[in-house]
Amino acid sequence: MLEKREVQEITEKIQSKNWKYHITTFGCQLNENDSEKIAGMLEELGFAKAENEQDANFLVFNTCCVRENAEERLFGKIGEVKNLKKAKDLIIAVGGCMMQEKLMVQKIKKSYPYVDIIFGTHTMQNLPQDIAKVLLEKEKVRDVIDIDGEIYEDLPIKRNSQVSANVTIMYGCNNFCTYCIVPYVRGRERSRKPEKILEEVQHLAQNGYKEITLLGQNVNSYMRTERENGKVDFEIDSFAKLLYAVAKIDGIEKIHFISPHPKDFTDDVIEAISKIDKISRIVHLPLQSGSSKVLREMNRKYTKEQYLALVDKMMEKIPNLMLSTDIIVGFPGETEEDFEDTLDVVRKVNFEQIFMFIYSTRDGTVAATREDQVPEEIKHQRFDRLKELYESKVEENNEKYIGTFHSILIEGKSKNDANMLTGRTDTNKVVVFEPKADCQIGDIVKVKITENHKWYFKGEIEE
Ligand code: 5AD
Ligand code: SF4
């Protein structure tokens, strides 16, 4: 920990020089949430937020390693900022998931020696100390420890939105899907204590937040490891119970969660969703593949039939439910027949939203060692075929929205037209609409959908 005197010294230096920070975040919402905590720590140290990289004296890259393209983008970015460093005082820090891979740390040290600080997913909270070393002792810092770090509570946080907030409920993953690097870089599952989560949500509600998203690699196994190890001595010891407790907090009007795993989608969670109106009617249910053979080789622990049966059960028990999903095409050994099974599930389920990924080989995972990798060309062709099917479904689904009414939380001004407001339907579709005289950001308004623009709708606020 930094001594008070050191913090004061650094803060004075930062403020007297009017230094600013800029954070570039790659990857998922968990990383976004980490970046909000990084921003909180930096602002506490005296940095102000810069609008862009050129104006900043402290650049943070919060990395992702789930797919190869995020790595390539990172290296491009660090290469670009080298020249900025020649022109002014500039500290460069690279952190997050990719830095948990030893080879990546070596690559940064060798090819980008001007990077000042490297931190991992479990050392983010040391950033103020790391900055002190760079500023006071002119040292380079490599602060990465192995996975399974403890949970740090009460870090300061600077949130990106004033109405909608992410709340991480658990860290890590125990599932070891054979394509996925996450369990290797984020460590084993660890759940935050319910009282800490509820405290955070209460605090958000008191500060005007209306919408929260509960985050974790596998949210519906909340407290599972702790339960199995007999470490739970409080009442809220499952995801379903956490949902009820969060929903009781006054002021919070909408609750989302990502990502659940189909194999852990227990009946108590389905019941909780059906009973709690505040929970979004769109649930993310990652499919990954529609082929039972591929699913087995992915170690997903469900078959095509089990997935479809779960969908049927959820549809039956939760009125107006819609689903979104993740699908990977081109997993090693995926045949045309396997891929047809994926298309078949997409035709049957009518997903509201599909996040499509081309399989990306991740060193260290089981699937990376397979010799039957699918040729790039075939992967791309399958991706295009899936995309075509998905887009035709989007068109079909969107038409059903015209003329329907939705209660929408006003999130802010539209990025493309500052005269318009924007929000999302319960099913996560963006809606852009004209303001009415007395409405404000954070209000919930009734909006009628009037125009379909494929990836967003136009609407009108009802009187
Ligand atoms: N290649 C492609 N997609 C992947 N995902 C995870 N690992 C890989 C990989 N190696 C996808 C999965 C997951 C989402 C967050 O990223 O679909 O649900
Ligand atoms: Fe990766 Fe599977 Fe864990 Fe999700 S559940 S983070 S895909 S290993």
Side-chain angles (χ1 to χ4, degrees):
M1 282 297 282
L2 283 179
E3 282 180 24
K4 249 196 176 139
R5 183 187 47 78
E6 288 171 310
V7 175
Q8 210 176 349
E9 195 178 333
I10 303 168
T11 307
E12 273 166 19
K13 183 163 184 170
I14 292 167
Q15 283 177 337
S16 69
K17 296 201 169 193
N18 208 0
W19 274 354
K20 297 189 176 137
Y21 70 92
H22 184 273
I23 305 176
T24 309
T25 311
F26 297 88
C28 66
Q29 263 155 297
L30 283 151
N31 261 15
E32 293 284 352
N33 196 223
D34 281 352
S35 288
E36 290 179 326
K37 291 177 190 153
I38 294 172
M41 288 189 275
L42 296 179
E43 295 205 0
E44 224 174 60
L45 272 186
F47 285 100
K49 186 175 174 183
E51 285 310 314
N52 52 48
E53 287 165 0
Q54 280 70 25
D55 287 345
N57 308 87
F58 188 76
L59 290 178
V60 184
F61 296 95
N62 190 7
T63 64
C64 165
C65 56
V66 167
R67 287 173 295 275
E68 196 178 2
N69 53 6
E71 285 173 7
E72 284 160 3
R73 282 191 2 250
L74 172 78
F75 291 130
K77 275 268 166 207
I78 318 184
E80 276 170 31
V81 296
K82 183 177 181 183
N83 285 337
L84 288 180
K85 193 151 175 148
K86 286 187 194 141
K88 62 170 175 189
D89 286 330
L90 178 66
I91 304 174
I92 301 176
V94 183
C97 293
M98 227 171 112
M99 297 305 106
Q100 294 297 141
E101 296 179 275
K102 288 198 175 70
L103 281 176
M104 287 301 160
V105 174
Q106 279 165 17
K107 177 159 180 177
I108 299 264
K109 280 195 209 167
K110 189 159 166 264
S111 310
Y112 307 92
Y114 50 91
V115 168
D116 302 282
I117 298 172
I118 296 178
F119 61 96
T121 48
H122 305 300
T123 47
M124 180 181 91
Q125 69 290 342
N126 298 343
L127 212 49
Q129 280 96 298
D130 299 344
I131 294 171
K133 281 194 192 135
V134 174
L135 283 182
L136 305 177
E137 296 158 31
K138 305 260 174 278
E139 256 184 52
K140 295 249 183 234
V141 182
R142 313 287 175 229
D143 190 7
V144 182
I145 51 168
D146 269 351
I147 51 177
D148 297 334
E150 54 189 284
I151 295 175
Y152 286 88
E153 292 290 355
D154 306 321
L155 289 179
I157 185 159
K158 174 76 177 36
R159 296 190 183 268
N160 294 331
S161 154
Q162 285 161 4
V163 283
S164 180
N166 289 329
V167 176
T168 301
I169 63 165
M170 59 184 298
Y171 296 86
C173 179
N174 289 358
N175 290 324
F176 289 95
C177 300
T178 56
Y179 51 82
C180 184
I181 193 80
V182 167
Y184 302 92
V185 296
R186 286 267 176 180
R188 297 294 66 72
E189 284 176 10
R190 304 166 311 281
S191 296
R192 280 178 77 196
K193 293 239 162 61
E195 76 244 28
K196 284 289 174 193
I197 297 170
L198 297 177
E199 226 172 70
E200 182 174 347
V201 179
Q202 245 142 14
H203 188 253
L204 286 165
Q206 280 156 8
N207 284 287
Y209 284 83
K210 301 267 169 56
E211 179 176 60
I212 57 158
T213 302
L214 304 175
L215 296 181
Q217 302 295 349
N218 202 7
V219 279
N220 50 350
S221 60
Y222 176 71
M223 281 291 162
R224 184 181 57 188
T225 317
E226 289 79 359
R227 257 193 336 262
E228 284 169 2
N229 296 337
K231 277 196 193 156
V232 188
D233 55 1
F234 30 80
E235 206 185 316
I236 300 168
D237 62 352
S238 70
F239 184 56
K241 288 186 191 163
L242 182 69
L243 286 174
Y244 287 108
V246 168
K248 275 201 199 123
I249 297 175
D250 280 341
I252 298 297
E253 316 230 2
K254 280 196 187 187
I255 303 168
H256 307 263
F257 54 84
I258 43 170
S259 271
H261 194 302
K263 79 176 165 58
D264 299 315
F265 224 109
T266 43
D267 289 350
D268 57 347
V269 176
I270 298 179
E271 195 181 323
I273 302 170
S274 72
K275 283 191 173 156
I276 306 170
D277 287 344
K278 289 180 177 182
I279 298 182
S280 164
R281 296 292 108 169
I282 184 157
V283 170
H284 190 62
L285 196 67
L287 168 69
Q288 311 301 2
S289 167
S291 149
S292 295
K293 182 203 91 189
V294 173
L295 286 167
R296 192 177 58 244
E297 292 172 2
M298 286 177 162
N299 193 29
R300 291 290 291 175
K301 307 223 165 63
Y302 53 85
T303 61
K304 173 186 181 184
E305 290 69 30
Q306 283 167 332
Y307 184 92
L308 288 172
L310 174 63
V311 169
D312 281 348
K313 179 158 78 175
M314 290 170 69
M315 290 291 184
E316 189 199 317
K317 300 258 157 89
I318 310 169
N320 305 322
L321 179 74
M322 297 197 185
L323 295 170
S324 61
T325 200
D326 290 345
I327 294 177
I328 300 176
V329 297
F331 182 79
E334 183 189 73
T335 62
E336 177 59 25
E337 210 185 341
D338 294 322
F339 178 63
E340 283 293 338
D341 269 331
T342 299
L343 296 180
D344 187 44
V345 176
V346 171
R347 279 189 204 103
K348 287 192 167 115
V349 175
N350 214 8
F351 293 108
E352 193 63 24
Q353 216 176 356
I354 305 181
F355 299 92
M356 296 171 284
F357 305 107
I358 290 177
Y359 169 74
S360 169
T361 317
R362 303 287 66 205
D363 283 343
T365 61
V366 173
T369 61
R370 287 180 58 158
E371 279 170 11
D372 52 352
Q373 300 289 329
V374 174
E376 283 304 313
E377 202 188 319
I378 294 185
K379 284 200 242 181
H380 281 91
Q381 279 169 6
R382 288 185 186 157
F383 182 87
D384 290 344
R385 283 164 64 196
L386 175 63
K387 188 161 164 254
E388 201 178 311
L389 174 62
Y390 169 48
E391 290 188 354
S392 71
K393 291 264 179 191
V394 171
E395 290 286 342
E396 220 177 284
N397 285 341
N398 278 4
E399 283 308 314
K400 293 187 212 142
Y401 278 79
I402 302 295
T404 58
F405 292 89
H406 299 259
S407 66
I408 289 182
L409 173 67
I410 306 178
E411 291 173 17
K413 290 185 176 161
S414 160
K415 276 190 196 138
N416 298 327
D417 182 350
N419 295 321
M420 302 287 271
L421 296 173
T422 171
R424 279 166 294 143
T425 63
D426 219 15
T427 50
N428 212 20
K429 298 270 187 191
V430 174
V431 185
V432 176
F433 45 93
E434 258 180 52
K436 280 263 149 83
D438 53 351
C439 66
Q440 291 178 4
I441 292 171
D443 286 352
I444 294 184
V445 286
K446 194 170 169 198
V447 175
K448 182 181 173 188
I449 307 292
T450 52
E451 288 174 34
N452 166 17
H453 291 262
K454 194 163 180 182
W455 302 114
Y456 72 97
F457 290 118
K458 274 206 171 140
E460 285 164 7
I461 300 186
E462 282 293 296
E463 294 300 337

